[in-house]
């Protein structure tokens, strides 16, 4: 299933509304698109995310899916946006390396640098190679949660970022996600196995986009 993509990288289809925010674009890609990374916004509403995208040097993804399933394109596909973060070591998942292949006590930055020296097909897609899809959804702390470090006196937002649980995307969001991944995959020749939740590829809240389902059957338009 193909869609029309103009020379700037904007999709022309009735299911996609244009809400391009140049502030989140970081220049033309200098590498081929190889994957898709799926996110959740950690914001309550669509409007709060769209407003944040208008801030100077804001970060964001190429698409934003509201709770009712409406798809917004917020950046041109051929533009890089900052939405991935430091990469995890894909070779540890595929069994092609072991922790001993990395420097002792290597942190996220060191591992990212090692991964970025690899060819795109040998690692997770980074900002230059990945299309980003955000779904509106805010993480919340479990009922009755208490900070395990009672002496830290950490603010609520920091606790929520670390221990919050993202909601399962709505059925409408997952249906739209499945359609969008399908048409992007066909139109941009992205392999089905190169679509990932954000927390799989980078050090993010482990529940982010774990309820995302892009493998639903997509009806022919």
């Amino acid at each position: 299933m193909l869609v029309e993509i103009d020379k700037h990288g904007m999709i022309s289809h009735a299911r996609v509304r244009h809400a391009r925010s140049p502030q989140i674009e970081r220049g033309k890609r200098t590498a081929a698109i190889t994957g898709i990374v799926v996110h959740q916004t950690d914001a309550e509403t669509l409007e709060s995310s769209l407003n944040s995208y208008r801030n100077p040097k804001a970060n964001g993804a190429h698409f934003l899916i509201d709770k009712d399933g409406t798809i917004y394109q917020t950046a041109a596909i051929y533009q890089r946006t900052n939405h991935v973060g430091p990469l995890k070591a894909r070779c540890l998942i595929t069994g092609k390396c072991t922790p001993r292949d990395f420097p002792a006590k290597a942190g996220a930055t060191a591992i990212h640098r090692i991964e970025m020296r690899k060819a795109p097909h040998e690692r997770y897609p980074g900002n230059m190679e990945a299309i980003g899809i955000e779904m509106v959804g805010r993480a919340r702390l479990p009922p009755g949660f208490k900070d395990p470090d009672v002496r830290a006196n950490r603010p609520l937002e920091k606790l929520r970022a670390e221990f919050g649980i993202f909601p399962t995307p709505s059925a409408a969001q997952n249906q739209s996600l499945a359609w969008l991944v399908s048409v992007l995959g066909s139109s941009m020749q992205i392999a089905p196995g190169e679509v990932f939740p954000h927390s799989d590829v980078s050090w993010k809240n482990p529940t982010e986009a774990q309820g995302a389902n892009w493998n639903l059957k997509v009806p022919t338009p």
Side-chain angles (χ1 to χ4, degrees), residues 176-189:
S176 292
L177 175 66
W179 177 84
L180 184 57
V181 167
S182 176
V183 298
L184 288 172
S186 298
S187 303
M188 307 299 297
Q189 299 182 334

Side-chain angles (χ1 to χ4, degrees), residues 7-154:
K7 64 180 182 180
H8 302 293
M10 300 298 291
I11 288 180
S12 177
H13 193 281
R15 290 193 67 167
V16 180
R17 300 184 183 183
H18 289 182
R20 187 174 180 182
S21 296
Q23 292 88 342
I24 69 174
E25 297 177 347
R26 294 291 184 269
K28 290 184 179 180
R29 297 182 189 270
T30 57
I33 295 170
T34 62
I36 297 172
V37 177
V38 181
H39 310 256
Q40 285 178 284
T41 59
D42 202 18
E44 196 68 55
T45 65
L46 169 84
E47 290 74 18
S48 60
S49 291
L50 290 177
N51 286 336
S52 72
Y53 284 6
R54 299 185 183 103
N55 294 327
K57 298 182 179 181
N59 291 328
H62 299 86
F63 296 91
L64 181 59
I65 303 177
D66 200 1
K67 293 177 182 178
D68 66 0
T70 305
I71 302 170
Y72 296 83
Q73 185 170 0
T74 49
I77 289 172
Y78 302 132
Q79 288 277 327
R80 175 177 63 86
T81 72
N82 291 342
H83 62 97
V84 176
L87 296 180
K88 291 181 179 179
R90 187 173 188 174
C91 62
L92 292 175
I93 303 301
T94 59
K96 295 182 178 180
C97 68
T98 71
R100 289 177 296 181
D101 296 318
F102 296 91
K105 298 182 180 179
T109 300
I111 291 175
H112 174 76
R113 289 173 179 167
I114 293 170
E115 291 301 293
M116 289 304 294
R117 290 198 288 266
K118 300 177 182 179
H121 67 277
E122 296 178 346
R123 56 172 170 80
Y124 289 120
N127 289 323
M128 191 60 73
E129 302 91 15
I131 293 173
I133 301 174
E134 290 267 17
M135 293 189 289
V136 176
R138 183 174 175 83
R140 299 188 185 282
L141 290 170
F145 174 85
K146 294 182 179 179
D147 189 346
D149 186 350
V150 295
R151 298 171 300 175
N153 195 27
R154 289 180 285 185

